[in-house]
């Protein structure tokens, strides 16, 4: 399942990956903090949407990408 | 309470919990349009009050209103589709999470303006009183609304006219990002002030669904029998942040942990099991709730987005948009 950059606010069009809490290959449980996303308003932990293995990290820490960009894949 | 009614309360809370969990997931996938405010952790209030209401009673809710609309019996699909901004939504995709309304079930709106619904709720109560219909109006609001002028005006007018209305404060301790106790002179922001306007008030554990049901039954029966308005303050806690992806980090970790341990749904599950309810029966209800949310999600996603021409429909009462003066 793709993990996308969420829209953190109605007028916010991009977000920054602050920190990955998991590495590629790690097991993740649904609801567990996966990544911290930052905007000019707030830093927020995004939970894993499903349980599985973190197969890919497509956006590394400190990179800023538009809302909707796939930032990771969980299998 | 008989077992079927108790299972009904459990079912309502479970359906709401699963629905809100999915709403959060869909929000993170950018499928929920606009903002959203989840009622996770506050399910016992919606379930307990709705169970005490008559089918033709009126409900007014806040922007944190999914709980109450579902508790009144509105199907999941149109609510989910509304969150996703689809044509098969409750408001045809034009309202979103904060503006749910279902006239067929007496839900006369979700109000994003803090406190606005309290004075409007007096209107339906007055209507019911005038028509002698025996309908009761239940108006929900948050703790923050008690520091808004409309709260005080509405309580006063309801008392003066003896209106059949029950005001229910969902005190989740935070008015957006501010702890209510830091900006309010009294301990119970709603219940401590109601007596100043001549309204009887009760404080109830908002995470105890049967306690909520009993308090609501007493207040609603009183209003229906001509006893006038009253107020219930239900003490609760929202599990998540205020809205969207708010992490809620302004709340102390030990406070959050303390309230998560008071989660109304596992608590009620424990009560039912201690009374001899078979766990399999509860597991079945859990599974049905998840299946219902899955179905609603699929049906909502299948709905088309609103056509551009729909901007010119349902603006005025006659369905059109042209101002005729």
């Amino acid at each position: 399942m793709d993990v996308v950059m969420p829209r953190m606010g109605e007028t916010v069009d991009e977000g920054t990956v602050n920190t990955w809490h998991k590495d590629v290959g790690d097991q993740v449980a649904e609801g567990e903090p996966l990544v911290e996303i930052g905007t000019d308003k707030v830093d927020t932990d995004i939970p894993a949407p499903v349980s599985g293995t973190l197969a890919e990290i497509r956006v590394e820490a400190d990179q800023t990408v538009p809302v909707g960009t796939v930032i990771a894949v969980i299998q | 309470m008989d077992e079927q009614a108790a299972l009904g309360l459990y079912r309502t809370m479970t359906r709401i919990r699963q629905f809100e969990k999915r709403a959060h997931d869909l929000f993170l996938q950018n499928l929920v349009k606009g903002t959203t405010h989840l009622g996770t952790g506050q399910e016992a209030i919606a379930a307990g009050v709705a169970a005490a209401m008559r089918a033709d009673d009126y409900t007014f809710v806040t922007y944190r209103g999914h709980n109450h609309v579902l508790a009144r019996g509105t199907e999941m699909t149109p609510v989910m589709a509304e969150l996703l901004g689809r044509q098969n939504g409750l408001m045809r995709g034009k309202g979103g999470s904060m503006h749910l309304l279902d006239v067929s079930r007496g839900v006369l709106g979700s109000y994003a303006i803090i406190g606005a619904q309290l004075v409007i709720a007096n209107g339906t109560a007055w209507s019911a009183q005038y028509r002698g219909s025996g309908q009761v109006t239940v108006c929900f609001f948050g703790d923050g609304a008690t520091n808004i002028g409309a709260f005080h005006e509405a309580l006063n007018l309801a008392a003066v006219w003896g209106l059949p209305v029950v005001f229910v404060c969902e005190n989740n301790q935070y008015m957006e990002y501010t702890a209510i106790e830091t900006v309010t002179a009294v301990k119970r922001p709603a219940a401590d002030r109601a007596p100043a306007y001549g309204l009887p008030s009760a404080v109830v554990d908002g995470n105890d669904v049967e306690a909520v049901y009993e308090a609501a039954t007493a207040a609603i029966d009183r209003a229906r029998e001509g006893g006038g308005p009253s107020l219930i303050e239900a003490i609760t806690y929202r599990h998540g942040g205020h809205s969207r992806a708010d992490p809620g980090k302004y709340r102390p970790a030990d406070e959050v942990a303390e309230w998560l341990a008071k989660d109304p749904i596992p608590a009620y599950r424990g009560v039912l099991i201690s009374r001899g309810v078979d766990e399999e029966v509860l597991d079945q209800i859990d599974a049905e709730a998840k299946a219902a949310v899955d179905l609603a999600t699929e049906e909502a996603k299948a709905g088309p987005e609103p056509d551009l021409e729909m901007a010119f429909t349902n603006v005025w009462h006659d369905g059109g948009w042209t101002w005729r003066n």
Side-chain angles (χ1 to χ4, degrees), chain A residues 1 4-8 10 30 42-44 47 67-68, chain B residues 21 24-25 27-30 34-35 244-247 249:
Chain A
M1 181 176 189
V4 299
M5 176 62 70
R7 184 177 293 277
M8 307 298 277
E10 236 149 317
E30 181 182 337
V42 70
D43 295 334
T44 304
V67 165
Chain B
K21 186 174 183 305
H24 186 247
D25 290 345
F27 181 84
L28 291 177
Q29 292 168 34
N30 295 323
T35 186
R244 295 195 189 97
D246 166 27
K249 286 180 180 169

Side-chain angles (χ1 to χ4, degrees), chain B residues 117-174:
Chain B
Q117 73 278 18
L118 284 94
V119 280
I120 301 169
N122 277 345
T124 56
W126 189 34
S127 160
Q129 183 187 58
Y130 182 78
R131 290 180 285 120
S133 68
Q135 292 162 289
V136 172
T137 297
V138 175
C139 181
F140 295 93
F141 56 99
D143 41 276
T146 65
N147 288 335
I148 293 278
F151 167 79
H152 301 267
E153 295 176 29
L155 264 60
N156 181 61
L157 191 67
V160 168
W161 287 353
L163 298 176
V165 57
V166 178
F167 296 105
V168 181
C169 176
E170 294 186 77
N171 183 351
N172 66 15
Q173 334 250 353
Y174 285 83

Side-chain angles (χ1 to χ4, degrees), chain B:
Chain B
M1 177 173 285
D2 72 57
E3 187 173 306
Q4 283 312 309
L7 289 176
L9 293 175
Y10 181 80
R11 181 178 295 108
T12 302
M13 291 197 293
T14 302
R15 282 170 57 88
I16 294 169
R17 174 66 56 93
Q18 295 299 333
F19 181 94
E20 294 291 63
K21 186 174 183 305
R22 181 62 51 84
H24 186 247
D25 290 345
L26 294 173
F27 181 84
L28 291 177
Q29 292 168 34
N30 295 323
L31 289 170
V32 172
K33 305 302 179 190
T35 186
T36 186
H37 304 74
L38 304 181
T40 307
Q42 304 182 199
E43 297 90 344
I45 301 169
V49 175
M53 296 177 73
R54 208 168 77 181
D56 63 344
D57 286 342
Y58 295 118
T59 299
F60 287 80
V61 304
T62 70
Y63 49 82
R64 199 181 306 286
H66 309 169
N67 290 14
H68 301 292
V69 179
L70 294 171
R72 287 304 309 271
T74 302
E75 297 296 324
M76 277 187 187
T77 296
V79 181
M80 190 66 87
E82 190 57 39
L83 267 54
L84 269 49
R86 307 301 171 100
Q87 280 194 37
N88 53 339
L90 206 50
M91 321 303 302
R92 301 184 186 183
K94 295 165 75 175
S97 165
M98 292 202 288
H99 302 108
L100 302 173
L101 178 149
D102 186 354
V103 176
S104 72
R105 288 181 171 77
V107 181
L108 294 190
S110 310
Y111 293 76
I113 304 299
I114 309 300
Q117 73 278 18
L118 284 94
V119 280
I120 301 169
N122 277 345
T124 56
W126 189 34
S127 160
Q129 183 187 58
Y130 182 78
R131 290 180 285 120
S133 68
Q135 292 162 289
V136 172
T137 297
V138 175
C139 181
F140 295 93
F141 56 99
D143 41 276
T146 65
N147 288 335
I148 293 278
F151 167 79
H152 301 267
E153 295 176 29
L155 264 60
N156 181 61
L157 191 67
V160 168
W161 287 353
L163 298 176
V165 57
V166 178
F167 296 105
V168 181
C169 176
E170 294 186 77
N171 183 351
N172 66 15
Q173 334 250 353
Y174 285 83
M175 36 187 298
E176 198 165 19
Y177 313 131
T178 304
I180 184 75
E181 64 183 8
T182 62
V183 294
T184 308
V186 293
K187 183 170 164 49
R188 297 298 176 208
D192 286 353
R193 287 153 159 176
Y197 299 104
L199 268 75
S201 67
V203 176
V204 63
D205 177 353
N207 283 20
D208 179 340
V209 69
E210 290 193 9
V212 171
Y213 171 76
E214 284 165 20
T217 300
I220 290 168
D221 287 354
R222 172 194 165 86
R224 206 179 311 283
E225 289 158 11
S230 60
L231 181 144
I232 296 168
E233 181 171 336
I235 311 299
T236 186
Y237 203 75
R238 61 169 146 79
H239 285 183
H242 171 72
S243 67
R244 295 195 189 97
D246 166 27
K249 286 180 180 169
Y250 41 84
R251 307 187 301 184
D254 55 346
E255 178 188 290
V256 175
E258 183 191 325
W259 277 96
L260 287 176
K262 291 192 260 188
D263 188 327
I265 297 176
Y268 196 50
R269 187 182 173 91
V271 167
L272 295 176
I273 289 169
S274 75
R275 287 184 196 157
V277 173
D278 195 338
E279 275 199 70
E280 285 177 13
V281 172
L282 301 172
D283 291 343
Q284 177 70 22
I285 291 174
D286 293 351
E288 285 168 4
K290 284 178 186 164
V293 171
D294 285 342
L295 178 65
T297 304
E298 290 314 309
E299 290 180 345
K301 281 180 173 175
E305 299 204 339
D307 296 328
L308 201 54
E309 305 84 75
M310 285 177 63
F312 303 109
T313 59
N314 307 110
V315 179
W316 301 117
H317 177 262
D318 66 2
W321 63 282
T322 308
W323 178 252
R324 301 175 185 86
N325 200 353

